[in-house]
Tab-separated table of all heavy atoms in Angstrom:
chain	number	residue	atom	x	y	z
A	140	ARG	N	13.998	71.168	-27.750
A	140	ARG	CA	14.367	71.259	-29.174
A	140	ARG	C	15.301	70.184	-29.624
A	140	ARG	O	15.601	70.086	-30.835
A	140	ARG	CB	14.962	72.626	-29.539
A	140	ARG	CG	14.025	73.796	-29.250
A	140	ARG	CD	14.674	75.128	-29.600
A	140	ARG	NE	13.864	76.222	-29.083
A	140	ARG	CZ	13.948	76.696	-27.852
A	140	ARG	NH1	14.833	76.180	-26.994
A	140	ARG	NH2	13.170	77.669	-27.440
A	141	THR	N	15.841	69.339	-28.693
A	141	THR	CA	16.628	68.190	-29.141
A	141	THR	C	15.771	67.275	-29.993
A	141	THR	O	14.602	67.026	-29.681
A	141	THR	CB	17.155	67.411	-27.907
A	141	THR	OG1	17.846	68.329	-27.047
A	141	THR	CG2	18.104	66.326	-28.326
A	142	TYR	N	16.328	66.798	-31.091
A	142	TYR	CA	15.652	65.954	-32.097
A	142	TYR	C	14.713	66.752	-32.995
A	142	TYR	O	14.181	66.184	-33.949
A	142	TYR	CB	14.850	64.804	-31.443
A	142	TYR	CG	15.619	63.981	-30.466
A	142	TYR	CD1	15.187	63.861	-29.141
A	142	TYR	CD2	16.774	63.285	-30.835
A	142	TYR	CE1	15.876	63.099	-28.228
A	142	TYR	CE2	17.476	62.515	-29.912
A	142	TYR	CZ	17.002	62.412	-28.607
A	142	TYR	OH	17.689	61.647	-27.697
A	143	ASN	N	14.479	68.024	-32.707
A	143	ASN	CA	13.605	68.840	-33.538
A	143	ASN	C	14.475	69.681	-34.486
A	143	ASN	O	15.676	69.785	-34.310
A	143	ASN	CB	12.718	69.735	-32.651
A	143	ASN	CG	11.472	70.173	-33.372
A	143	ASN	OD1	11.346	70.072	-34.594
A	143	ASN	ND2	10.534	70.736	-32.629
A	144	VAL	N	13.846	70.326	-35.469
A	144	VAL	CA	14.572	71.129	-36.428
A	144	VAL	C	13.751	72.384	-36.769
A	144	VAL	O	12.518	72.423	-36.578
A	144	VAL	CB	14.828	70.336	-37.737
A	144	VAL	CG1	15.834	69.225	-37.534
A	144	VAL	CG2	13.524	69.783	-38.311
A	145	PRO	N	14.425	73.464	-37.243
A	145	PRO	CA	13.690	74.644	-37.683
A	145	PRO	C	12.728	74.358	-38.813
A	145	PRO	O	12.771	73.308	-39.456
A	145	PRO	CB	14.829	75.586	-38.162
A	145	PRO	CG	16.031	75.113	-37.405
A	145	PRO	CD	15.870	73.639	-37.298
A	146	GLU	N	11.819	75.295	-39.037
A	146	GLU	CA	10.704	75.078	-39.953
A	146	GLU	C	11.122	74.863	-41.396
A	146	GLU	O	10.378	74.328	-42.196
A	146	GLU	CB	9.727	76.247	-39.872
A	146	GLU	CG	9.113	76.440	-38.487
A	146	GLU	CD	8.364	75.184	-38.029
A	146	GLU	OE1	7.616	74.626	-38.838
A	146	GLU	OE2	8.560	74.773	-36.887
A	147	GLY	N	12.353	75.298	-41.768
A	147	GLY	CA	12.757	75.201	-43.162
A	147	GLY	C	12.815	73.760	-43.693
A	147	GLY	O	12.521	73.554	-44.866
A	148	ARG	N	13.170	72.807	-42.866
A	148	ARG	CA	13.280	71.410	-43.265
A	148	ARG	C	12.589	70.524	-42.213
A	148	ARG	O	13.275	69.757	-41.527
A	148	ARG	CB	14.747	71.009	-43.452
A	148	ARG	CG	15.526	71.888	-44.448
A	148	ARG	CD	16.875	71.302	-44.796
A	148	ARG	NE	17.705	71.026	-43.621
A	148	ARG	CZ	18.449	71.901	-43.003
A	148	ARG	NH1	18.513	73.140	-43.452
A	148	ARG	NH2	19.172	71.576	-41.966
A	149	PRO	N	11.293	70.596	-42.107
A	149	PRO	CA	10.586	69.851	-41.051
A	149	PRO	C	10.673	68.350	-41.194
A	149	PRO	O	10.454	67.621	-40.236
A	149	PRO	CB	9.133	70.332	-41.186
A	149	PRO	CG	9.005	70.753	-42.612
A	149	PRO	CD	10.350	71.318	-42.979
A	150	PHE	N	11.023	67.852	-42.396
A	150	PHE	CA	11.126	66.396	-42.612
A	150	PHE	C	12.351	65.798	-41.946
A	150	PHE	O	12.532	64.571	-41.919
A	150	PHE	CB	11.145	66.094	-44.124
A	150	PHE	CG	12.149	66.907	-44.905
A	150	PHE	CD1	13.474	66.521	-44.962
A	150	PHE	CD2	11.762	68.045	-45.555
A	150	PHE	CE1	14.407	67.262	-45.685
A	150	PHE	CE2	12.669	68.808	-46.262
A	150	PHE	CZ	14.018	68.422	-46.332
A	151	GLU	N	13.233	66.640	-41.363
A	151	GLU	CA	14.421	66.150	-40.694
A	151	GLU	C	14.178	65.883	-39.185
A	151	GLU	O	15.121	65.620	-38.442
A	151	GLU	CB	15.583	67.128	-40.873
A	151	GLU	CG	16.103	67.198	-42.298
A	151	GLU	CD	17.250	68.148	-42.457
A	151	GLU	OE1	17.622	68.815	-41.454
A	151	GLU	OE2	17.789	68.281	-43.578
A	152	LYS	N	12.943	65.988	-38.737
A	152	LYS	CA	12.650	65.665	-37.333
A	152	LYS	C	12.994	64.183	-37.074
A	152	LYS	O	12.809	63.316	-37.921
A	152	LYS	CB	11.155	65.911	-37.059
A	152	LYS	CG	10.710	67.352	-37.156
A	152	LYS	CD	9.214	67.476	-37.006
A	152	LYS	CE	8.735	68.927	-37.191
A	152	LYS	NZ	9.110	69.776	-36.058
A	153	PHE	N	13.498	63.934	-35.864
A	153	PHE	CA	14.010	62.598	-35.518
A	153	PHE	C	12.814	61.697	-35.145
A	153	PHE	O	12.640	61.259	-33.999
A	153	PHE	CB	14.977	62.711	-34.345
A	153	PHE	CG	16.106	61.726	-34.380
A	153	PHE	CD1	16.960	61.672	-35.484
A	153	PHE	CD2	16.334	60.849	-33.355
A	153	PHE	CE1	18.024	60.765	-35.521
A	153	PHE	CE2	17.380	59.941	-33.381
A	153	PHE	CZ	18.236	59.894	-34.467
A	154	LEU	N	12.003	61.398	-36.170
A	154	LEU	CA	10.799	60.611	-35.999
A	154	LEU	C	10.753	59.526	-37.094
A	154	LEU	O	11.296	59.688	-38.185
A	154	LEU	CB	9.524	61.470	-36.142
A	154	LEU	CG	9.335	62.606	-35.120
A	154	LEU	CD1	8.209	63.517	-35.610
A	154	LEU	CD2	9.039	62.071	-33.758
A	155	HIS	N	10.082	58.430	-36.764
A	155	HIS	CA	9.815	57.396	-37.751
A	155	HIS	C	8.439	56.823	-37.472
A	155	HIS	O	8.125	56.356	-36.377
A	155	HIS	CB	10.880	56.290	-37.636
A	155	HIS	CG	10.632	55.144	-38.579
A	155	HIS	ND1	10.316	55.328	-39.909
A	155	HIS	CD2	10.716	53.793	-38.402
A	155	HIS	CE1	10.194	54.172	-40.513
A	155	HIS	NE2	10.419	53.207	-39.617
A	156	ARG	N	7.600	56.919	-38.483
A	156	ARG	CA	6.204	56.453	-38.353
A	156	ARG	C	5.463	57.074	-37.170
A	156	ARG	O	4.736	56.391	-36.442
A	156	ARG	CB	6.146	54.904	-38.330
A	156	ARG	CG	6.574	54.267	-39.633
A	156	ARG	CD	6.350	52.801	-39.641
A	156	ARG	NE	6.686	52.220	-40.933
A	156	ARG	CZ	5.811	52.030	-41.891
A	156	ARG	NH1	4.550	52.379	-41.774
A	156	ARG	NH2	6.187	51.529	-43.055
A	157	GLY	N	5.730	58.347	-36.992
A	157	GLY	CA	5.016	59.129	-35.976
A	157	GLY	C	5.588	59.003	-34.578
A	157	GLY	O	5.067	59.658	-33.659
A	158	LYS	N	6.633	58.248	-34.355
A	158	LYS	CA	7.196	58.043	-33.000
A	158	LYS	C	8.639	58.463	-32.963
A	158	LYS	O	9.346	58.365	-33.977
A	158	LYS	CB	7.072	56.582	-32.580
A	158	LYS	CG	5.623	56.128	-32.340
A	158	LYS	CD	5.615	54.715	-31.764
A	158	LYS	CE	4.210	54.282	-31.406
A	158	LYS	NZ	4.195	52.926	-30.770
A	159	PRO	N	9.110	58.918	-31.772
A	159	PRO	CA	10.532	59.263	-31.643
A	159	PRO	C	11.438	58.082	-31.932
A	159	PRO	O	11.158	56.958	-31.495
A	159	PRO	CB	10.662	59.715	-30.208
A	159	PRO	CG	9.280	60.140	-29.786
A	159	PRO	CD	8.357	59.251	-30.544
A	160	ILE	N	12.493	58.320	-32.670
A	160	ILE	CA	13.485	57.262	-32.925
A	160	ILE	C	14.280	56.970	-31.672
A	160	ILE	O	14.735	55.852	-31.457
A	160	ILE	CB	14.398	57.704	-34.089
A	160	ILE	CG1	13.586	57.777	-35.389
A	160	ILE	CG2	15.593	56.751	-34.228
A	160	ILE	CD1	14.356	58.353	-36.567
A	161	ALA	N	14.420	57.992	-30.806
A	161	ALA	CA	15.179	57.820	-29.567
A	161	ALA	C	14.216	57.542	-28.403
A	161	ALA	O	13.333	56.695	-28.524
A	161	ALA	CB	16.008	59.053	-29.302
A	162	HIS	N	14.349	58.251	-27.299
A	162	HIS	CA	13.576	57.980	-26.090
A	162	HIS	C	12.072	58.179	-26.328
A	162	HIS	O	11.680	59.092	-27.069
A	162	HIS	CB	14.066	58.889	-24.946
A	162	HIS	CG	13.740	58.375	-23.603
A	162	HIS	ND1	12.469	58.484	-23.051
A	162	HIS	CD2	14.528	57.808	-22.636
A	162	HIS	CE1	12.502	57.978	-21.821
A	162	HIS	NE2	13.713	57.545	-21.579
A	163	HIS	N	11.261	57.353	-25.708
A	163	HIS	CA	9.792	57.394	-25.950
A	163	HIS	C	9.181	58.701	-25.458
A	163	HIS	O	8.113	59.082	-25.935
A	163	HIS	CB	9.107	56.197	-25.293
A	163	HIS	CG	9.110	56.224	-23.807
A	163	HIS	ND1	10.204	55.782	-23.051
A	163	HIS	CD2	8.179	56.660	-22.903
A	163	HIS	CE1	9.908	55.930	-21.768
A	163	HIS	NE2	8.705	56.461	-21.645
A	164	LEU	N	9.829	59.422	-24.511
A	164	LEU	CA	9.285	60.675	-24.024
A	164	LEU	C	9.629	61.846	-24.968
A	164	LEU	O	9.204	62.959	-24.724
A	164	LEU	CB	9.780	60.979	-22.611
A	164	LEU	CG	9.244	60.076	-21.499
A	164	LEU	CD1	9.821	60.491	-20.154
A	164	LEU	CD2	7.732	60.153	-21.437
A	165	GLY	N	10.396	61.587	-25.979
A	165	GLY	CA	10.683	62.623	-26.969
A	165	GLY	C	11.724	63.584	-26.504
A	165	GLY	O	12.870	63.255	-26.246
A	166	THR	N	11.304	64.856	-26.356
A	166	THR	CA	12.238	65.935	-25.989
A	166	THR	C	11.668	66.720	-24.806
A	166	THR	O	10.516	66.593	-24.444
A	166	THR	CB	12.447	66.841	-27.203
A	166	THR	OG1	13.489	67.802	-26.882
A	166	THR	CG2	11.202	67.611	-27.584
A	167	ASP	N	12.558	67.577	-24.207
A	167	ASP	CA	12.152	68.488	-23.154
A	167	ASP	C	11.580	67.738	-21.931
A	167	ASP	O	10.427	67.914	-21.561
A	167	ASP	CB	11.147	69.482	-23.690
A	167	ASP	CG	10.968	70.695	-22.775
A	167	ASP	OD1	11.856	70.907	-21.903
A	167	ASP	OD2	9.976	71.419	-22.933
A	168	PHE	N	12.390	66.903	-21.273
A	168	PHE	CA	11.917	66.180	-20.097
A	168	PHE	C	13.068	65.819	-19.171
A	168	PHE	O	14.239	65.815	-19.570
A	168	PHE	CB	11.152	64.916	-20.517
A	168	PHE	CG	12.038	63.810	-21.028
A	168	PHE	CD1	12.623	62.890	-20.139
A	168	PHE	CD2	12.264	63.678	-22.383
A	168	PHE	CE1	13.424	61.857	-20.637
A	168	PHE	CE2	13.078	62.660	-22.859
A	168	PHE	CZ	13.678	61.768	-21.979
A	169	GLN	N	12.713	65.510	-17.924
A	169	GLN	CA	13.579	64.904	-16.946
A	169	GLN	C	12.854	63.676	-16.399
A	169	GLN	O	11.654	63.714	-16.141
A	169	GLN	CB	13.920	65.855	-15.804
A	169	GLN	CG	14.786	67.023	-16.218
A	169	GLN	CD	15.000	68.032	-15.082
A	169	GLN	OE1	14.114	68.262	-14.272
A	169	GLN	NE2	16.191	68.617	-15.038
A	170	LEU	N	13.588	62.617	-16.177
A	170	LEU	CA	12.989	61.364	-15.721
A	170	LEU	C	13.917	60.681	-14.728
A	170	LEU	O	15.093	60.459	-14.992
A	170	LEU	CB	12.758	60.417	-16.898
A	170	LEU	CG	12.291	58.994	-16.587
A	170	LEU	CD1	10.902	59.026	-15.928
A	170	LEU	CD2	12.266	58.125	-17.837
A	171	LEU	N	13.370	60.385	-13.563
A	171	LEU	CA	14.067	59.594	-12.527
A	171	LEU	C	13.272	58.309	-12.290
A	171	LEU	O	12.090	58.378	-12.016
A	171	LEU	CB	14.200	60.381	-11.236
A	171	LEU	CG	14.882	59.673	-10.064
A	171	LEU	CD1	16.320	59.328	-10.423
A	171	LEU	CD2	14.791	60.504	-8.790
A	172	ALA	N	13.932	57.174	-12.458
A	172	ALA	CA	13.230	55.892	-12.355
A	172	ALA	C	14.101	54.883	-11.635
A	172	ALA	O	15.346	54.938	-11.687
A	172	ALA	CB	12.839	55.378	-13.735
A	173	THR	N	13.426	53.967	-10.964
A	173	THR	CA	14.120	52.851	-10.296
A	173	THR	C	13.278	51.612	-10.315
A	173	THR	O	12.028	51.703	-10.387
A	173	THR	CB	14.497	53.239	-8.846
A	173	THR	OG1	15.278	52.183	-8.235
A	173	THR	CG2	13.238	53.413	-8.004
A	174	LYS	N	13.924	50.484	-10.264
A	174	LYS	CA	13.214	49.219	-10.192
A	174	LYS	C	13.952	48.283	-9.265
A	174	LYS	O	15.183	48.158	-9.317
A	174	LYS	CB	13.115	48.557	-11.572
A	174	LYS	CG	12.268	47.293	-11.577
A	174	LYS	CD	12.048	46.799	-12.990
A	174	LYS	CE	11.112	45.579	-13.018
A	174	LYS	NZ	10.798	45.140	-14.395
A	175	VAL	N	13.216	47.675	-8.350
A	175	VAL	CA	13.762	46.680	-7.408
A	175	VAL	C	12.987	45.390	-7.582
A	175	VAL	O	11.739	45.416	-7.593
A	175	VAL	CB	13.636	47.182	-5.937
A	175	VAL	CG1	14.204	46.112	-5.005
A	175	VAL	CG2	14.335	48.521	-5.773
A	176	GLU	N	13.661	44.291	-7.750
A	176	GLU	CA	12.969	43.024	-7.919
A	176	GLU	C	13.772	41.929	-7.221
A	176	GLU	O	14.983	42.014	-7.053
A	176	GLU	CB	12.749	42.649	-9.391
A	176	GLU	CG	14.015	42.579	-10.215
A	176	GLU	CD	13.719	42.333	-11.670
A	176	GLU	OE1	12.532	42.518	-12.084
A	176	GLU	OE2	14.625	41.940	-12.414
A	177	THR	N	13.071	40.905	-6.757
A	177	THR	CA	13.691	39.810	-6.061
A	177	THR	C	12.936	38.510	-6.328
A	177	THR	O	11.747	38.518	-6.596
A	177	THR	CB	13.770	40.079	-4.543
A	177	THR	OG1	14.534	39.076	-3.926
A	177	THR	CG2	12.352	40.109	-3.942
A	178	TRP	N	13.684	37.428	-6.273
A	178	TRP	CA	13.082	36.105	-6.395
A	178	TRP	C	12.803	35.552	-5.021
A	178	TRP	O	13.741	35.369	-4.225
A	178	TRP	CB	14.041	35.173	-7.146
A	178	TRP	CG	14.099	35.454	-8.627
A	178	TRP	CD1	14.961	36.322	-9.229
A	178	TRP	CD2	13.290	34.863	-9.640
A	178	TRP	NE1	14.722	36.326	-10.576
A	178	TRP	CE2	13.716	35.433	-10.863
A	178	TRP	CE3	12.273	33.921	-9.652
A	178	TRP	CZ2	13.129	35.094	-12.076
A	178	TRP	CZ3	11.694	33.569	-10.858
A	178	TRP	CH2	12.123	34.140	-12.040
A	179	PHE	N	11.542	35.298	-4.716
A	179	PHE	CA	11.187	34.668	-3.433
A	179	PHE	C	11.443	33.175	-3.460
A	179	PHE	O	11.802	32.558	-2.456
A	179	PHE	CB	9.720	34.955	-3.121
A	179	PHE	CG	9.416	36.412	-2.981
A	179	PHE	CD1	8.734	37.105	-3.962
A	179	PHE	CD2	9.815	37.134	-1.851
A	179	PHE	CE1	8.449	38.438	-3.841
A	179	PHE	CE2	9.543	38.475	-1.741
A	179	PHE	CZ	8.883	39.139	-2.718
A	180	LYS	N	11.264	32.596	-4.634
A	180	LYS	CA	11.614	31.205	-4.903
A	180	LYS	C	11.776	31.052	-6.409
A	180	LYS	O	11.450	31.997	-7.152
A	180	LYS	CB	10.559	30.255	-4.338
A	180	LYS	CG	9.156	30.458	-4.889
A	180	LYS	CD	8.193	29.458	-4.225
A	180	LYS	CE	6.760	29.603	-4.784
A	180	LYS	NZ	5.865	28.588	-4.201
A	181	PRO	N	12.285	29.909	-6.904
A	181	PRO	CA	12.591	29.814	-8.322
A	181	PRO	C	11.422	30.063	-9.268
A	181	PRO	O	11.635	30.291	-10.448
A	181	PRO	CB	13.104	28.379	-8.460
A	181	PRO	CG	13.680	28.061	-7.131
A	181	PRO	CD	12.802	28.763	-6.137
A	182	THR	N	10.191	30.020	-8.764
A	182	THR	CA	9.033	30.235	-9.645
A	182	THR	C	8.246	31.473	-9.269
A	182	THR	O	7.143	31.692	-9.792
A	182	THR	CB	8.105	29.009	-9.572
A	182	THR	OG1	7.699	28.796	-8.184
A	182	THR	CG2	8.783	27.766	-10.110
A	183	LEU	N	8.762	32.317	-8.364
A	183	LEU	CA	8.002	33.478	-7.939
A	183	LEU	C	8.918	34.691	-7.771
A	183	LEU	O	9.855	34.673	-6.978
A	183	LEU	CB	7.304	33.212	-6.580
A	183	LEU	CG	6.449	34.389	-6.011
A	183	LEU	CD1	5.332	34.727	-6.953
A	183	LEU	CD2	5.932	34.007	-4.653
A	184	LYS	N	8.637	35.731	-8.549
A	184	LYS	CA	9.419	36.948	-8.505
A	184	LYS	C	8.511	38.146	-8.243
A	184	LYS	O	7.394	38.236	-8.790
A	184	LYS	CB	10.170	37.177	-9.795
A	184	LYS	CG	11.011	38.479	-9.852
A	184	LYS	CD	11.916	38.547	-11.040
A	184	LYS	CE	11.160	38.727	-12.343
A	184	LYS	NZ	12.072	38.945	-13.497
């Protein structure tokens, strides 16, 4: 229900042009992510 609103004022949903204004997954989620990167040489990652 974060970013959502009761039915009385549905235009107050935290959306713009059909997409969440905040995180792309919207509401009601858990996300664990990691990224590892390295340069093998100045032109190759």
Side-chain angles (χ1 to χ4, degrees):
R140 300 179 192 85
T141 306
Y142 309 121
N143 203 347
V144 291
E146 298 302 315
R148 302 191 307 274
F150 50 83
E151 292 180 357
K152 295 174 183 288
F153 215 59
L154 299 168
H155 178 46
R156 293 187 175 267
K158 291 187 175 183
I160 293 173
H162 202 283
H163 68 277
L164 291 179
T166 187
D167 196 17
F168 72 87
Q169 292 176 324
L170 172 65
L171 178 63
T173 185
K174 185 172 185 177
V175 180
E176 58 184 17
T177 187
W178 287 89
F179 298 106
K180 58 181 182 178
T182 57
L183 180 62
K184 178 171 70 173

